[in-house]
mmCIF file of all heavy atoms in Angstrom:
data_model
loop_
_atom_site.group_PDB
_atom_site.id
_atom_site.type_symbol
_atom_site.label_atom_id
_atom_site.label_comp_id
_atom_site.label_asym_id
_atom_site.label_seq_id
_atom_site.Cartn_x
_atom_site.Cartn_y
_atom_site.Cartn_z
ATOM 1 N N LYS A 7 76.809 -80.043 41.134
ATOM 2 C CA LYS A 7 78.217 -80.325 41.164
ATOM 3 C C LYS A 7 78.801 -79.856 39.792
ATOM 4 O O LYS A 7 79.954 -79.448 39.751
ATOM 5 C CB LYS A 7 78.506 -81.689 41.515
ATOM 6 C CG LYS A 7 80.100 -82.021 41.519
ATOM 7 C CD LYS A 7 80.314 -83.372 41.985
ATOM 8 C CE LYS A 7 81.963 -83.692 41.935
ATOM 9 N NZ LYS A 7 82.198 -85.124 42.223
ATOM 10 N N PRO A 11 81.127 -75.324 38.294
ATOM 11 C CA PRO A 11 82.441 -74.926 37.703
ATOM 12 C C PRO A 11 82.295 -74.305 36.323
ATOM 13 O O PRO A 11 83.078 -73.340 36.047
ATOM 14 C CB PRO A 11 83.233 -76.354 37.483
ATOM 15 C CG PRO A 11 82.564 -77.260 38.568
ATOM 16 C CD PRO A 11 81.073 -76.781 38.644
ATOM 17 N N ASN A 23 89.511 -62.089 30.421
ATOM 18 C CA ASN A 23 90.310 -62.070 29.216
ATOM 19 C C ASN A 23 89.939 -60.870 28.307
ATOM 20 O O ASN A 23 90.672 -60.673 27.310
ATOM 21 C CB ASN A 23 90.190 -63.399 28.521
ATOM 22 C CG ASN A 23 90.917 -64.528 29.151
ATOM 23 O OD1 ASN A 23 91.805 -64.216 30.012
ATOM 24 N ND2 ASN A 23 90.592 -65.755 28.860
ATOM 25 N N MET A 43 76.423 -79.446 25.363
ATOM 26 C CA MET A 43 76.099 -78.335 24.408
ATOM 27 C C MET A 43 76.774 -77.104 25.007
ATOM 28 O O MET A 43 76.609 -76.668 26.146
ATOM 29 C CB MET A 43 74.633 -78.143 24.357
ATOM 30 C CG MET A 43 73.898 -79.204 23.652
ATOM 31 S SD MET A 43 74.420 -79.331 21.909
ATOM 32 C CE MET A 43 74.015 -77.623 21.281
ATOM 33 N N VAL A 58 86.865 -71.343 21.411
ATOM 34 C CA VAL A 58 86.567 -71.709 22.689
ATOM 35 C C VAL A 58 87.549 -72.857 23.286
ATOM 36 O O VAL A 58 87.677 -73.759 22.509
ATOM 37 C CB VAL A 58 85.120 -72.169 22.926
ATOM 38 C CG1 VAL A 58 84.857 -72.639 24.220
ATOM 39 C CG2 VAL A 58 84.201 -70.862 22.655
ATOM 40 N N GLY A 92 80.323 -68.412 12.473
ATOM 41 C CA GLY A 92 81.323 -67.523 13.090
ATOM 42 C C GLY A 92 80.935 -66.166 13.310
ATOM 43 O O GLY A 92 81.297 -65.392 14.097
ATOM 44 N N LEU A 104 79.147 -81.814 21.506
ATOM 45 C CA LEU A 104 80.162 -82.910 21.435
ATOM 46 C C LEU A 104 79.752 -84.010 22.435
ATOM 47 O O LEU A 104 79.023 -83.887 23.343
ATOM 48 C CB LEU A 104 81.599 -82.457 21.896
ATOM 49 C CG LEU A 104 81.894 -81.958 23.259
ATOM 50 C CD1 LEU A 104 83.337 -82.149 23.542
ATOM 51 C CD2 LEU A 104 81.517 -80.485 23.271
ATOM 52 N N GLU A 118 86.111 -71.413 28.210
ATOM 53 C CA GLU A 118 86.752 -70.098 28.116
ATOM 54 C C GLU A 118 86.830 -69.715 26.596
ATOM 55 O O GLU A 118 87.333 -70.471 25.796
ATOM 56 C CB GLU A 118 88.210 -70.097 28.655
ATOM 57 C CG GLU A 118 88.817 -68.807 28.537
ATOM 58 C CD GLU A 118 90.381 -68.816 29.164
ATOM 59 O OE1 GLU A 118 90.646 -69.947 29.612
ATOM 60 O OE2 GLU A 118 91.097 -67.842 29.181
ATOM 61 N N GLY A 131 87.983 -59.736 9.302
ATOM 62 C CA GLY A 131 87.549 -60.133 7.972
ATOM 63 C C GLY A 131 86.541 -59.051 7.509
ATOM 64 O O GLY A 131 86.480 -58.837 6.287
ATOM 65 N N TRP A 181 53.261 -61.773 9.292
ATOM 66 C CA TRP A 181 51.969 -62.031 8.745
ATOM 67 C C TRP A 181 51.739 -63.450 8.306
ATOM 68 O O TRP A 181 52.689 -64.017 7.921
ATOM 69 C CB TRP A 181 51.667 -61.157 7.679
ATOM 70 C CG TRP A 181 51.203 -59.706 7.917
ATOM 71 C CD1 TRP A 181 49.729 -59.327 8.086
ATOM 72 C CD2 TRP A 181 51.791 -58.600 8.211
ATOM 73 N NE1 TRP A 181 49.710 -58.018 8.436
ATOM 74 C CE2 TRP A 181 50.838 -57.478 8.408
ATOM 75 C CE3 TRP A 181 53.194 -58.225 8.290
ATOM 76 C CZ2 TRP A 181 51.271 -56.200 8.687
ATOM 77 C CZ3 TRP A 181 53.640 -56.909 8.629
ATOM 78 C CH2 TRP A 181 52.545 -55.902 8.841
ATOM 79 N N LYS A 192 42.490 -61.219 13.504
ATOM 80 C CA LYS A 192 42.522 -61.232 14.974
ATOM 81 C C LYS A 192 44.099 -61.268 15.466
ATOM 82 O O LYS A 192 44.331 -61.359 16.691
ATOM 83 C CB LYS A 192 41.892 -62.570 15.538
ATOM 84 C CG LYS A 192 40.374 -62.499 15.158
ATOM 85 C CD LYS A 192 39.657 -63.805 15.658
ATOM 86 C CE LYS A 192 38.189 -63.759 15.406
ATOM 87 N NZ LYS A 192 37.600 -65.003 15.852
ATOM 88 N N THR A 201 55.170 -65.948 8.297
ATOM 89 C CA THR A 201 55.985 -66.530 7.335
ATOM 90 C C THR A 201 56.459 -65.587 6.292
ATOM 91 O O THR A 201 55.894 -64.304 6.333
ATOM 92 C CB THR A 201 55.223 -67.619 6.608
ATOM 93 O OG1 THR A 201 56.003 -68.292 5.596
ATOM 94 C CG2 THR A 201 53.979 -66.998 5.990
ATOM 95 N N VAL A 217 51.621 -46.602 2.749
ATOM 96 C CA VAL A 217 50.501 -46.005 3.341
ATOM 97 C C VAL A 217 50.924 -44.893 4.399
ATOM 98 O O VAL A 217 50.376 -43.867 4.386
ATOM 99 C CB VAL A 217 49.523 -47.053 4.019
ATOM 100 C CG1 VAL A 217 48.429 -46.373 4.857
ATOM 101 C CG2 VAL A 217 48.862 -48.018 3.023
ATOM 102 N N LYS A 222 50.964 -40.226 6.822
ATOM 103 C CA LYS A 222 51.612 -39.915 7.982
ATOM 104 C C LYS A 222 51.023 -40.325 9.280
ATOM 105 O O LYS A 222 51.435 -39.728 10.388
ATOM 106 C CB LYS A 222 51.816 -38.300 8.014
ATOM 107 C CG LYS A 222 52.410 -37.708 6.805
ATOM 108 C CD LYS A 222 53.837 -38.175 6.649
ATOM 109 C CE LYS A 222 54.626 -37.433 5.605
ATOM 110 N NZ LYS A 222 53.992 -37.872 4.198
ATOM 111 N N VAL A 230 55.290 -51.301 10.478
ATOM 112 C CA VAL A 230 56.466 -51.541 9.483
ATOM 113 C C VAL A 230 57.707 -51.835 10.388
ATOM 114 O O VAL A 230 58.501 -52.795 10.116
ATOM 115 C CB VAL A 230 56.645 -50.371 8.598
ATOM 116 C CG1 VAL A 230 57.885 -50.754 7.815
ATOM 117 C CG2 VAL A 230 55.406 -50.294 7.642
ATOM 118 N N GLN A 241 66.247 -64.114 10.965
ATOM 119 C CA GLN A 241 67.419 -64.672 10.204
ATOM 120 C C GLN A 241 68.270 -65.567 11.064
ATOM 121 O O GLN A 241 68.634 -65.321 12.211
ATOM 122 C CB GLN A 241 68.179 -63.382 9.735
ATOM 123 C CG GLN A 241 69.279 -63.663 8.769
ATOM 124 C CD GLN A 241 70.185 -62.516 8.538
ATOM 125 O OE1 GLN A 241 70.347 -61.602 9.248
ATOM 126 N NE2 GLN A 241 70.683 -62.489 7.236
ATOM 127 N N TYR A 242 68.738 -66.679 10.425
ATOM 128 C CA TYR A 242 69.711 -67.533 11.079
ATOM 129 C C TYR A 242 71.009 -66.815 11.162
ATOM 130 O O TYR A 242 71.317 -65.924 10.482
ATOM 131 C CB TYR A 242 69.922 -68.797 10.265
ATOM 132 C CG TYR A 242 68.793 -69.796 10.266
ATOM 133 C CD1 TYR A 242 68.178 -70.319 9.102
ATOM 134 C CD2 TYR A 242 68.180 -70.219 11.449
ATOM 135 C CE1 TYR A 242 67.209 -71.272 9.052
ATOM 136 C CE2 TYR A 242 67.226 -71.115 11.445
ATOM 137 C CZ TYR A 242 66.612 -71.730 10.384
ATOM 138 O OH TYR A 242 65.683 -72.518 10.381
ATOM 139 N N ASP A 288 60.753 -40.918 7.936
ATOM 140 C CA ASP A 288 61.386 -41.124 9.234
ATOM 141 C C ASP A 288 61.044 -42.550 9.760
ATOM 142 O O ASP A 288 61.211 -42.798 10.946
ATOM 143 C CB ASP A 288 60.806 -40.076 10.317
ATOM 144 C CG ASP A 288 59.399 -40.113 10.518
ATOM 145 O OD1 ASP A 288 58.653 -40.915 9.808
ATOM 146 O OD2 ASP A 288 58.951 -39.664 11.544
ATOM 147 N N GLY A 305 73.283 -62.321 4.523
ATOM 148 C CA GLY A 305 72.497 -63.032 3.501
ATOM 149 C C GLY A 305 73.185 -63.291 2.306
ATOM 150 O O GLY A 305 73.154 -64.333 1.681
ATOM 151 N N ALA A 337 61.907 -80.589 -0.189
ATOM 152 C CA ALA A 337 60.698 -79.947 0.530
ATOM 153 C C ALA A 337 59.571 -80.940 0.509
ATOM 154 O O ALA A 337 59.669 -82.132 1.041
ATOM 155 C CB ALA A 337 60.379 -78.582 0.001
ATOM 156 N N GLY A 440 48.496 -78.511 -11.437
ATOM 157 C CA GLY A 440 48.547 -77.752 -10.268
ATOM 158 C C GLY A 440 49.897 -77.116 -9.777
ATOM 159 O O GLY A 440 50.018 -76.628 -8.629
ATOM 160 N N SER A 446 59.945 -69.145 -18.616
ATOM 161 C CA SER A 446 60.987 -68.288 -19.254
ATOM 162 C C SER A 446 61.866 -67.689 -18.228
ATOM 163 O O SER A 446 62.108 -66.449 -18.208
ATOM 164 C CB SER A 446 60.385 -67.193 -20.205
ATOM 165 O OG SER A 446 59.553 -66.420 -19.380
ATOM 166 N N TYR A 460 77.631 -58.143 -18.758
ATOM 167 C CA TYR A 460 78.000 -59.376 -18.073
ATOM 168 C C TYR A 460 78.054 -60.558 -19.042
ATOM 169 O O TYR A 460 78.622 -61.621 -18.712
ATOM 170 C CB TYR A 460 77.202 -59.745 -16.839
ATOM 171 C CG TYR A 460 77.888 -59.088 -15.478
ATOM 172 C CD1 TYR A 460 78.664 -57.913 -15.664
ATOM 173 C CD2 TYR A 460 77.614 -59.627 -14.326
ATOM 174 C CE1 TYR A 460 79.252 -57.307 -14.439
ATOM 175 C CE2 TYR A 460 78.228 -59.087 -13.225
ATOM 176 C CZ TYR A 460 79.061 -57.950 -13.291
ATOM 177 O OH TYR A 460 79.599 -57.437 -12.086
#
Side-chain angles (χ1 to χ4, degrees):
K7 177 181 179 182
N23 285 341
M43 286 300 302
V58 169
L104 61 153
E118 179 183 356
W181 269 271
K192 298 180 180 179
T201 182
V217 174
K222 303 298 187 291
V230 176
Q241 187 182 35
Y242 287 130
D288 65 345
S446 57
Y460 269 27

